[in-house]
């Protein structure tokens, strides 16, 4: 009797809540469902509302012959309101079992949304653990700009690339840059193959009576989902350290070893130059993953260990390593803020050239402004297609206005404040939002704070937000 009496208010509240949305199960407080996206202006379904992930523990096994992936994802998160249900992002794969805090939970799926219905409401502020067991053949996802990401098969294995929405192909999560978390990634692969991931390798052991090898990688600093990776295949592994004692772990497909040896040997020198210019390196190790040229269509700044399809040139290496500060440590709040990644990483290339007997940043800026930078006239014109802080659509977030014109914005700031203050801004920006998220408004406010008395209105208006080619002042 007392039990049913006690339940009455809850049931009533649930009945009312049902009118609006889902409600918690028996004995729970009323709650509402977390949203199926975080209102990203370019990817509205990416990410999910109602919780913040703090840690992903992924245990994966991949069979290179059948392309079959088995996974268990343990997701530790904090509820940001009373949650009757919440979504994870997962594209493809089969969900085999799901539990919240050890109790099995039901789920429904619709497109990339995996809706989890815990038995009772997860209370606001509570840290809870969702365990998803899943399996299947992970998908390659085609981006709005036509490039491949997600799970990509390579000549001798596979590779996970996540920008902007590819992580949902290989693990369930809150697939949006605004929700960063730490990771433990354990991956079992057939004997003779390696599995390389982000962070530091904590263990490597023989499993299944010698038939497989299991690698455990640890990412102790927050990482956005799009920066998580695993690369499976044959790799030559080189371990070195920089002068500051930072471990460098480089994995190169043997076919690319000869072509990439000289450039990859520059990693310590580039890291030292970047630390001098951008401030202390934010992570506990560095490195690179080099697969074959045809394995992917682009390089990616996967955290601590950027990925390259084939031997990179020095500029690309400088670019992806610069992203560790700008993109990986300071991460955009939404995909609209991409220029904060690409403009900075591109400007890093200009600065490297300037400091190493190449063109000065001013010369690069002038060539772009004059339209003599690219071989092709139409590429020179394309940089004026839209303002860096306002890409026209999801298909254009990696176009040249985000990269080259984004770098031009930084050059205009440098012109306005002078070199000493400009480098203070580069370092200060990385320090102010270390391990966090920031958007364009945060950046313009930061620059204004760092240069009192200077007027940036014209730069923001014409270079950052304005349509068309700005007039030369
Ligand atoms: N960020 C990558 C670079 O630094 C390029 C890239 C790959 C990209 N995939 C993307 C950019 C998707 C935007 C969206 O070169
Ligand atoms: Zn980039």
């Amino acid at each position: 009797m007392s039990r049913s009496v006690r339940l009455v208010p809850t049931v009533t509240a649930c009945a009312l809540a049902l009118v609006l949305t889902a409600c918690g199960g028996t004995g729970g407080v009323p709650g509402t469902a977390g949203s199926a996206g975080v209102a990203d202006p370019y990817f509205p379904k990416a990410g999910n509302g109602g919780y913040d992930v703090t840690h992903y523990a992924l245990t994966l096994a991949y069979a290179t012959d059948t392309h079959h992936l088995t996974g268990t994802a343990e997701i530790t998160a904090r509820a940001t309101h009373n949650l009757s249900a919440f979504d994870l992002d997962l594209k493809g794969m089969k969900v085999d079992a799901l539990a919240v805090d050890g109790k099995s939970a039901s789920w429904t799926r619709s497109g990339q949304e995996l809706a989890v219905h815990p038995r009772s409401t997860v209370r606001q502020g509570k840290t809870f653990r969702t365990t998803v067991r899943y399996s299947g053949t992970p998908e390659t996802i085609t981006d709005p700009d036509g490039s491949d990401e997600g799970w990509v098969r390579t000549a001798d294995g596979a590779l996970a690339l996540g920008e902007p929405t590819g992580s949902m192909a290989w693990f369930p999560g809150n697939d949006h840059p605004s929700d960063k978390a730490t990771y433990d990634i354990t991956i079992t692969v057939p004997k003779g193959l390696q599995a390389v991931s982000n962070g530091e390798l904590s263990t490597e052991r023989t499993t299944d009576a010698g038939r497989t090898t299991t690698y455990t990688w640890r990412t102790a600093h927050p990482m956005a989902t799009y920066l998580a990776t695993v690369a499976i295949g044959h790799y030559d592994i080189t371990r070195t350290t920089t002068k500051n004692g930072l471990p460098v772990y480089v994995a190169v497909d043997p076919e690319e070893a000869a072509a990439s040896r000289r450039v990859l040997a520059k990693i310590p020198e580039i890291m030292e130059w970047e630390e001098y210019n951008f401030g202390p390196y934010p992570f506990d190790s560095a490195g690179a993953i080099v697969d074959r040229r045809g394995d992917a269509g682009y390089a990616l700044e996967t955290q601590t260990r950027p990925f390259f399809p084939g031997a990179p040139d020095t500029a690309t290496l400088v670019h992806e390593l610069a992203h560790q500060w700008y993109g990986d440590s300071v991460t955009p709040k939404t995909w609209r803020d991409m220029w904060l990644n690409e403009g900075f990483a591109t400007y890093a290339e200009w600065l490297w050239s300037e400091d190493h007997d190449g063109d000065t940043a001013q010369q690069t800026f002038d060539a772009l402004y004059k339209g003599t930078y690219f071989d092709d006239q139409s590429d020179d014109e394309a940089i004026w297609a839209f303002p860096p802080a306002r890409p026209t659509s999801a298909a254009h977030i990696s176009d040249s206005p985000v990269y080259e014109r984004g770098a031009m914005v930084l050059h205009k700031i440098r012109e306005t404040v002078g070199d000493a203050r400009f480098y203070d801004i580069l370092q200060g920006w990385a320090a102010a939002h270390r391990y966090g998220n920031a958007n364009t408004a945060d950046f313009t406010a930061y620059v204004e704070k760092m240069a009192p008395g200077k007027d940036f209105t014209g730069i923001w208006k014409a270079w950052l937000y304005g349509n068309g080619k700005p007039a030369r002042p």
Side-chain angles (χ1 to χ4, degrees):
M1 187 62 200
S2 69
R3 189 169 185 267
S4 62
V5 168
R6 205 159 50 79
L7 275 176
V8 168
T10 307
V11 168
T12 310
C14 278
L16 288 172
L18 268 172
V19 177
L20 297 166
T21 174
C23 185
T26 325
V29 294
T32 52
S35 60
V38 292
D40 186 277
Y42 294 80
F43 296 89
K45 282 191 286 185
N48 307 285
Y51 63 92
D52 270 323
V53 179
T54 52
H55 184 72
Y56 291 92
L58 308 177
T59 306
L60 311 171
Y62 188 63
T64 34
D65 52 351
T66 59
H67 314 292
H68 190 83
L69 179 74
T70 331
T72 301
E74 282 188 353
I75 304 164
T76 307
R78 206 179 56 82
T80 54
H81 61 77
N82 285 340
L83 271 181
S84 57
F86 59 92
D87 279 14
L88 295 167
D89 299 306
L90 181 67
K91 197 148 189 278
M93 303 299 285
K94 180 173 167 291
V95 175
D96 300 310
L98 207 153
V100 175
D101 284 333
K103 295 195 188 96
S104 66
S106 62
W107 70 88
T108 53
R109 300 192 68 179
S110 163
Q112 70 184 54
E113 301 300 322
L114 165 59
V116 181
H117 301 273
R119 287 205 207 164
S120 55
T121 297
V122 181
R123 290 190 187 236
Q124 175 171 8
K126 191 178 178 263
T127 294
F128 64 104
R129 180 178 292 180
T130 307
T131 308
V132 186
R133 286 207 293 114
Y134 59 103
S135 59
T137 310
E139 288 180 12
T140 302
I141 294 173
T142 305
D143 286 345
D145 73 1
S147 52
D148 280 351
E149 59 159 338
W151 195 263
V152 178
R153 293 182 196 173
T154 59
D156 63 350
L159 166 73
L161 295 175
E163 190 178 25
T165 59
S167 84
M168 63 178 84
W170 61 285
F171 66 95
N174 197 17
D175 196 1
H176 191 265
S178 57
D179 192 1
K180 298 165 74 167
T182 55
Y183 288 70
D184 284 308
I185 300 178
T186 294
I187 174 137
T188 298
V189 294
K191 172 184 133 194
L193 294 183
Q194 273 119 353
V196 183
S197 183
N198 314 92
E200 294 77 54
L201 180 62
S202 52
T203 60
E204 171 181 343
R205 62 212 159 81
T206 299
T207 43
D208 193 19
R211 282 185 283 269
T212 54
T213 313
T214 301
Y215 298 83
T216 299
W217 290 87
R218 192 139 204 249
T219 292
H221 295 292
M223 175 164 77
T225 49
Y226 79 93
L227 299 169
T229 191
V230 293
I232 298 163
H234 295 285
Y235 297 102
D236 288 347
I237 308 291
T238 311
R239 292 169 185 260
T240 52
T241 48
T242 66
K243 275 192 200 122
N244 296 342
L246 181 75
V248 178
Y249 184 105
V250 175
V252 184
D253 185 297
E255 298 228 328
E256 297 290 340
S260 43
R261 191 163 292 124
R262 270 184 59 200
V263 65
L264 294 176
K266 292 185 187 175
I267 290 177
E269 178 196 350
I270 295 170
M271 293 297 294
E272 285 150 23
W273 178 85
E274 293 193 345
E275 286 207 273
Y276 178 77
N277 289 293
F278 308 150
Y281 179 67
F283 307 122
D284 298 332
S285 67
I289 300 167
V290 180
D291 261 318
R292 295 184 206 172
R293 193 151 294 278
D295 284 339
Y298 51 84
L300 187 65
E301 62 267 27
T302 37
Q303 191 156 308
T304 65
R305 208 139 289 120
F307 165 81
F308 303 92
D313 56 22
T314 305
T316 306
L317 190 56
V318 166
H319 178 113
E320 302 306 335
L321 293 174
H323 271 309
Q324 304 302 314
W325 284 258
Y326 307 107
D328 296 14
S329 173
V330 183
T331 304
K333 280 182 182 162
T334 77
W335 290 112
R336 175 143 80 193
D337 308 311
M338 268 296 282
W339 83 274
L340 291 172
N341 287 9
E342 303 306 344
F344 277 73
T346 302
Y347 202 72
E349 296 176 51
W350 301 7
L351 289 175
W352 174 272
S353 162
E354 177 171 305
D355 285 357
H356 296 84
D357 306 319
D359 286 352
T360 62
Q362 185 66 53
Q363 287 170 321
T364 307
F365 180 97
D366 291 343
L368 281 161
Y369 194 81
K370 273 189 290 196
T372 57
Y373 182 75
F374 295 103
D375 297 334
D376 199 325
Q377 177 84 48
S378 66
D379 290 335
D380 283 306
E381 277 155 24
I383 70 167
W384 312 113
F386 58 82
R390 290 290 179 269
T392 40
S393 73
H396 297 286
I397 61 168
S398 52
D399 286 5
S400 60
V402 172
Y403 284 73
E404 275 76 26
R405 190 168 158 189
M408 291 175 97
V409 172
L410 294 177
H411 193 74
K412 294 302 289 181
I413 295 168
R414 183 180 177 189
E415 244 176 41
T416 308
V417 303
D419 274 9
R421 186 62 51 89
F422 179 70
Y423 282 96
D424 285 349
I425 289 172
L426 286 185
Q427 295 200 6
W429 173 247
H433 296 279
R434 194 170 166 99
Y435 307 133
N437 292 90
N439 64 19
T440 302
D442 296 325
F443 179 69
T444 54
Y446 182 78
V447 172
E448 284 164 7
K449 189 183 89 182
M450 290 288 283
K454 299 279 186 198
D455 183 9
F456 296 95
T457 335
I459 297 178
W460 306 154
K461 197 161 168 273
W463 285 90
L464 203 42
Y465 296 111
N467 287 315
K469 182 174 177 176
R472 194 106 209 203

